[in-house]
Amino acid sequence: MIGKRVRCRNCATVFPVIPQDAGSLEPVGVSAAEDDLALAAPPPPPPMEGGLESEFETAFSDEEERRDLRRNIKLKFPWAAELDRFLPATLIVIAVVWICAQTFRSPDLGPIWTGFLRVGVVFALYACLIVPVVMFAAGKIALKLKYELPPAAPWRAAAVFSLPLMLGYVFWTVSEGPSGFVLGCVLGLMISAAAFWLLFRLQPKEIAPSFAAAGGGFVGAVLVSIGIMALLNVFINSGMISSHAARDLRASPLGPGFAWNVRLDNSPAHPDQNQLQFASSNNSNIAPPTTQQSTVANNDVSAQANGEHPTTSPSDPSPAAQVASSGSAVKVTSLATPVGNGTKTSNLPSDPTSSSVSTNAGGSKVFDLPADALENSASADDSWLASVRSKAVPFITSVQAAKGIAPSDAIIYPATRSGCIAVVHHKDEGRDVIQVLDAQGQPVGQDADLPREGNGIANSREYALSPDGQMLARPVHFPRAGFAVWMIPLQRSVAISPECDAGTVPQLVGFCDNDKLVLEYARNKEDFIDVWSIKENRSLRSIIVPSHPYTPGNCEISPDGQYVALAARVDGKAALEVYCLSADRMPQDLLIKDLDSHWVVQPAGIAFSGDSSKVAILFVERDEGFIESWNLKNKATPPNEQLCTAIPVQVIRNSNSGARVLDWIGDGTWLIGGDAVMDVATGRLLGRIGDNAVRGQHVDGSRIEVLYSMNRAIHVADLRLDQAKVASMASGSGN
């Protein structure tokens, strides 16, 4: 540097560099303006030890170090400048739009706020954690390889790694499992390597180590983000359980794969008093109670709140007996889970190996209790039957216990018209003893002793009974996911294994004929309904259906076995799809116009009329319902829509358990939740039959069988209707 003029960065003094033995350090050959500047400037700091050479090297060390780094300049090829300028914003916009669209059309999405929460958490973690970690790794490797980072490097890093984030998120929500997320991230990283080279302007030798470092930072930050989301999910779940709001969601608001406990079956034995409210029916067609209502004893309140009827006799003068005989309804405000609000926890459940016990039972209408709930000590009459009689419902002519059906753990009805039923007793924690009875209550063949594999088979129903009572179907997952059909006369099983996607479980719908089983499954990412011949052990008909929530209330076979109906979104619109099971025909698309787009199309129940000429669908949000029905024989008839403000509280619980919650009584009335009888034309409540102890219902002409829980066992009540009286009340001429 000897002989050069240098301006000090600290004091702005300009002076030449000369040998130290020259005798003077005064500037030589400096202009007058520079002289004045030098005189006006503050005196230079004292020289450091080691001389001026050492001082100058220290002052300009950073500049010299930067001069050692390769300048970051744009790549030279056609359209390189345009790509460098517009590609980052394009990638980020595509990622944001696709992630939001996939979130808000996801079948497991609950209320609209869960979608905003999910994308908000994902974007916040990406911006505040993943991108900074990637930039740290990219900066370190750039210094090591001695090249400068491009301008706006964080913005470019966010654009590059939005690709693996987007694909990982989309694959995760579609597959509803970690395997989809991993696959999406891997594919995204492979694609983003080219974007990383282009936007970070790398030389060939710099590409591999630089992308490896940045990609490693991305993977590590993603793993940390998953841990943060898991902890956040725990906090949200705990808070919503404490506020009794967890039941409003069927899955975690943060997305599939995160555990979500709604505590439906773990409610306290003695609920808070502010969760219970007692309301007498004010319908003029129901006879008023004859016994004065008063405070209920704690044990009977607990029984009511848990769906058990008080065992106190109506003749008992205690307050509990007075309420039991008065016909008052008990409303548990925190018990119902909204159906329109729920999420497919998954469209097609994964093959489970976990020990979680499913509450969804009832292949062809099974109504189940816990495995230790069997109680056989019951008389032919009890307080529940007496309480129904005390209501003096005008159109009920007879109330008695069903003959030949002992208290049990579950009752199975065929999906189509039949006089047979199956009575299930839990032998132990893993096996069931099943007795099939004919219309006269006589056994059909030998009892079946079968493993209870429905526990842990996701949403699949536990059993299905053929109309002639000769076959019992149940889901199995070993050695492969499918079904085992027990042939009662032959006392042996037939295995059914449809070709479905790996890791999924086919779903049991029911028998449409004595030899034909209807089932649902996914193959090649498409949903199918199959009609399977048991004798030939092959599929007779495969029907491609739209993606829909696989829940017990969302697929129903008509009484004549000719049709099956399910609800789904078709081209973005809610619809009830009715398919013919006996011939290749186009389905009937019945639009559900009044169901907003933010509700999941997840009905509590679907019901055909007795002659299969009409169909109705029920949606429930808390304690309000919406029913829409159609005339299948006369397409010119407009759909009938009714809002229901008197939905029994047991409807959601029973629907989740696989029980029937909606049936036609003739052509003009509906039975809802084994309790409310409603006029189809006006939506007017005609009367109430049951209470919160009801576990299911079955309508056969003028006969209603109501399943109710008492002494921790299922009992069956046989109620007879005066259909002429029901029709007159529905038309408004009855009293």
Side-chain angles (χ1 to χ4, degrees), residues 193-218:
F196 187 80
W197 160 73
L198 175 64
L199 295 182
F200 277 73
R201 307 168 179 176
L202 301 177
Q203 298 299 321
K205 64 180 181 179
E206 299 166 348
I207 297 175
S210 299
F211 187 69
F218 173 81

Side-chain angles (χ1 to χ4, degrees), residues 675-710:
D675 180 12
V677 178
M678 183 170 294
D679 181 14
V680 171
T682 65
R684 185 166 61 95
L685 182 66
L686 303 179
R688 287 191 178 274
I689 298 173
D691 56 21
N692 189 36
V694 171
R695 294 288 181 172
Q697 63 187 44
H698 180 74
V699 176
D700 184 8
S702 62
R703 179 183 178 185
I704 298 177
E705 290 187 352
V706 178
L707 287 75
Y708 61 97
S709 175
M710 193 179 70

Side-chain angles (χ1 to χ4, degrees), residues 309 365-369 375 378-382 384-386 388-389 398-413 419-425 435 437-439 441 674 689 693-700 703-720:
H309 194 273
K365 329 305 184 272
V366 178
F367 316 103
D368 209 355
L369 281 177
E375 182 71 42
S379 60
D381 202 357
D382 53 46
W384 192 88
L385 297 174
V388 175
R389 294 192 190 100
S398 172
V399 178
Q400 59 184 352
K403 295 181 180 179
I405 304 177
S408 61
D409 291 295
I411 302 292
I412 309 170
Y413 288 95
C420 297
I421 66 168
V423 182
V424 181
H425 297 281
Q435 182 184 43
L437 304 176
D438 60 17
I689 298 173
V694 171
R695 294 288 181 172
Q697 63 187 44
H698 180 74
V699 176
D700 184 8
R703 179 183 178 185
I704 298 177
E705 290 187 352
V706 178
L707 287 75
Y708 61 97
S709 175
M710 193 179 70
N711 296 332
R712 297 193 58 77
I714 293 292
H715 300 248
V716 182
D718 186 349
L719 281 63
R720 301 303 171 101

Side-chain angles (χ1 to χ4, degrees), residues 349-406:
S350 300
D351 188 1
T353 55
S354 64
S355 59
S356 60
V357 179
S358 170
T359 60
N360 296 313
S364 295
K365 329 305 184 272
V366 178
F367 316 103
D368 209 355
L369 281 177
D372 59 351
L374 182 58
E375 182 71 42
N376 290 319
S377 58
S379 60
D381 202 357
D382 53 46
S383 61
W384 192 88
L385 297 174
S387 71
V388 175
R389 294 192 190 100
S390 70
K391 297 179 181 181
V393 181
F395 48 79
I396 299 294
T397 61
S398 172
V399 178
Q400 59 184 352
K403 295 181 180 179
I405 304 177

Side-chain angles (χ1 to χ4, degrees), residues 160-381:
V160 169
F161 289 95
S162 66
L163 290 171
L165 175 76
M166 174 184 66
L167 293 180
Y169 183 88
V170 172
F171 280 40
W172 169 50
T173 54
V174 171
S175 67
E176 299 184 342
S179 59
F181 178 76
V182 172
L183 177 61
C185 287
V186 170
L187 291 177
L189 287 172
M190 293 171 63
I191 298 172
S192 64
F196 187 80
W197 160 73
L198 175 64
L199 295 182
F200 277 73
R201 307 168 179 176
L202 301 177
Q203 298 299 321
K205 64 180 181 179
E206 299 166 348
I207 297 175
S210 299
F211 187 69
F218 173 81
V219 172
V222 165
L223 294 176
V224 174
S225 299
I226 293 173
I228 293 174
M229 291 183 70
L231 289 176
L232 182 59
N233 178 73
V234 172
F235 291 138
I236 293 175
N237 197 188
S238 301
M240 295 188 70
I241 289 174
S242 301
S243 61
H244 305 289
R247 299 178 179 90
D248 293 346
L249 303 177
R250 294 193 175 184
S252 171
L254 297 183
F258 292 105
W260 190 254
N261 181 17
V262 298
R263 299 281 178 88
L264 285 176
D265 298 324
N266 298 324
S267 53
H270 300 283
D272 297 336
Q273 292 300 317
N274 59 5
Q275 291 180 339
L276 299 176
Q277 71 179 59
F278 299 90
S280 299
S281 174
N282 56 6
N283 191 285
S284 59
N285 296 319
I286 304 177
T290 58
T291 307
Q292 184 178 2
Q293 194 181 74
S294 60
T295 306
V296 181
N298 281 341
N299 58 343
D300 286 331
V301 173
S302 175
Q304 287 278 10
N306 290 285
E308 293 274 344
H309 194 273
T311 56
T312 314
S313 171
S315 61
D316 191 336
S318 68
Q322 295 176 17
V323 174
S325 62
S326 68
S328 299
V330 178
K331 178 180 178 182
V332 184
T333 58
S334 64
L335 198 62
T337 301
V339 169
N341 210 9
T343 66
K344 162 194 115 119
T345 46
S346 64
N347 264 11
L348 190 65
S350 300
D351 188 1
T353 55
S354 64
S355 59
S356 60
V357 179
S358 170
T359 60
N360 296 313
S364 295
K365 329 305 184 272
V366 178
F367 316 103
D368 209 355
L369 281 177
D372 59 351
L374 182 58
E375 182 71 42
N376 290 319
S377 58
S379 60
D381 202 357

Side-chain angles (χ1 to χ4, degrees), residues 85 155 482 497 535:
R85 180 178 179 184
W155 172 252
S497 300
K535 293 180 181 178

Side-chain angles (χ1 to χ4, degrees), residues 356-585:
S356 60
V357 179
S358 170
T359 60
N360 296 313
S364 295
K365 329 305 184 272
V366 178
F367 316 103
D368 209 355
L369 281 177
D372 59 351
L374 182 58
E375 182 71 42
N376 290 319
S377 58
S379 60
D381 202 357
D382 53 46
S383 61
W384 192 88
L385 297 174
S387 71
V388 175
R389 294 192 190 100
S390 70
K391 297 179 181 181
V393 181
F395 48 79
I396 299 294
T397 61
S398 172
V399 178
Q400 59 184 352
K403 295 181 180 179
I405 304 177
S408 61
D409 291 295
I411 302 292
I412 309 170
Y413 288 95
T416 59
R417 283 189 294 266
S418 171
C420 297
I421 66 168
V423 182
V424 181
H425 297 281
H426 294 334
K427 180 179 180 180
D428 52 39
E429 293 184 357
R431 300 191 69 84
D432 289 334
V433 175
I434 304 175
Q435 182 184 43
V436 179
L437 304 176
D438 60 17
Q440 288 72 41
Q442 299 300 315
V444 177
Q446 299 182 23
D447 295 351
D449 188 340
L450 302 174
R452 187 168 60 256
E453 298 224 23
N455 294 341
I457 305 290
N459 288 331
S460 188
R461 296 157 176 170
E462 290 188 10
Y463 296 104
L465 178 66
S466 63
D468 60 1
Q470 299 297 304
M471 298 182 191
L472 274 168
R474 61 189 178 89
V476 296
H477 66 267
F478 180 80
R480 60 178 297 179
F483 306 98
V485 180
W486 180 255
M487 318 286 287
I488 293 178
L490 302 178
Q491 292 291 293
R492 66 180 180 87
S493 286
V494 174
I496 295 177
S497 300
E499 293 294 331
C500 56
D501 289 341
T504 63
V505 178
Q507 302 292 290
L508 186 61
V509 180
F511 284 88
C512 64
D513 200 356
N514 293 331
D515 177 47
K516 298 180 178 66
L517 184 65
V518 180
L519 49 95
E520 298 177 277
Y521 63 94
R523 183 175 66 232
N524 298 328
K525 304 303 180 181
E526 288 186 311
D527 289 359
F528 289 83
I529 287 182
D530 262 24
V531 180
W532 198 281
S533 171
I534 306 301
K535 293 180 181 178
E536 300 177 25
N537 201 356
R538 68 180 182 89
S539 175
L540 301 178
R541 180 167 288 102
S542 290
I543 305 170
I544 300 178
V545 299
S547 178
H548 60 283
Y550 282 65
T551 55
N554 192 26
C555 197
E556 184 67 25
I557 299 174
S558 63
D560 59 7
Q562 296 297 307
Y563 302 96
V564 64
L566 61 87
R569 286 207 178 272
V570 181
D571 297 328
K573 298 179 180 179
L576 182 66
E577 300 287 290
V578 181
Y579 298 90
C580 181
L581 296 175
S582 58
D584 294 327
R585 300 176 186 170

